[in-house]
């Protein structure tokens, strides 16, 4: 059974800008969550050139964060996960 029936979940799509791979990935992800899922979502786009300013740009709490084509290193991923657990 679906949880939170009737409420929209917040998703943030973070993509590499101005790269075409990141942009097309963001568009495809948007189309998937708008048209091919049972739940309805509020979708926010966050274009970034690199991962480092991410924490100053995330201004609200999201149910799901999707990052596309950012080229994160292992240290970046560890920091990202640690930050998410503290929030």
């Amino acid at each position: 059974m679906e949880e939170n029936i009737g409420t929209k979940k917040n998703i943030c799509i973070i993509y590499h800008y101005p790269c075409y791979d990141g942009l097309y990935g963001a568009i495809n992800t948007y189309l998937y969550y708008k048209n091919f899922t049972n739940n309805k979502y509020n979708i926010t786009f966050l274009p970034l050139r690199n991962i480092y300013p991410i924490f100053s740009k995330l201004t609200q709490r999201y149910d799901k964060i999707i990052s596309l084509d950012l080229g994160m290193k292992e240290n970046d991923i560890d920091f990202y996960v640690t930050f998410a657990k503290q929030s």
Side-chain angles (χ1 to χ4, degrees):
M1 185 173 199
E2 294 288 326
E3 59 182 55
N4 297 329
I5 293 176
T7 61
K8 288 187 176 184
K9 293 184 177 185
N10 294 317
I11 293 179
C12 183
I13 300 173
I14 303 168
Y15 65 96
H16 186 222
Y17 167 84
C19 177
Y20 292 116
D21 291 343
L23 177 63
Y24 287 126
I27 290 169
N28 286 327
T29 304
Y30 171 82
L31 291 172
Y32 173 78
Y33 280 103
K34 280 296 187 183
N35 298 312
F36 300 114
T37 58
N38 292 331
N39 291 338
K40 297 300 177 190
Y41 298 94
N42 295 317
I43 298 175
T44 303
F45 290 98
L46 180 58
L48 291 178
R49 290 183 187 266
N50 59 40
I51 192 67
Y52 299 108
I54 190 171
F55 302 110
S56 62
K57 304 243 182 194
L58 291 174
T59 57
Q60 70 181 54
R61 188 142 179 92
Y62 295 99
D63 297 304
K64 184 180 273 193
I65 296 175
I66 302 164
S67 67
L68 303 166
D69 195 37
L70 285 177
M72 291 187 276
K73 299 175 187 159
E74 188 174 343
N75 292 340
D76 297 332
I77 294 170
D78 291 341
F79 182 71
Y80 190 51
V81 170
T82 302
F83 180 80
K85 288 180 182 177
Q86 292 174 355
S87 298

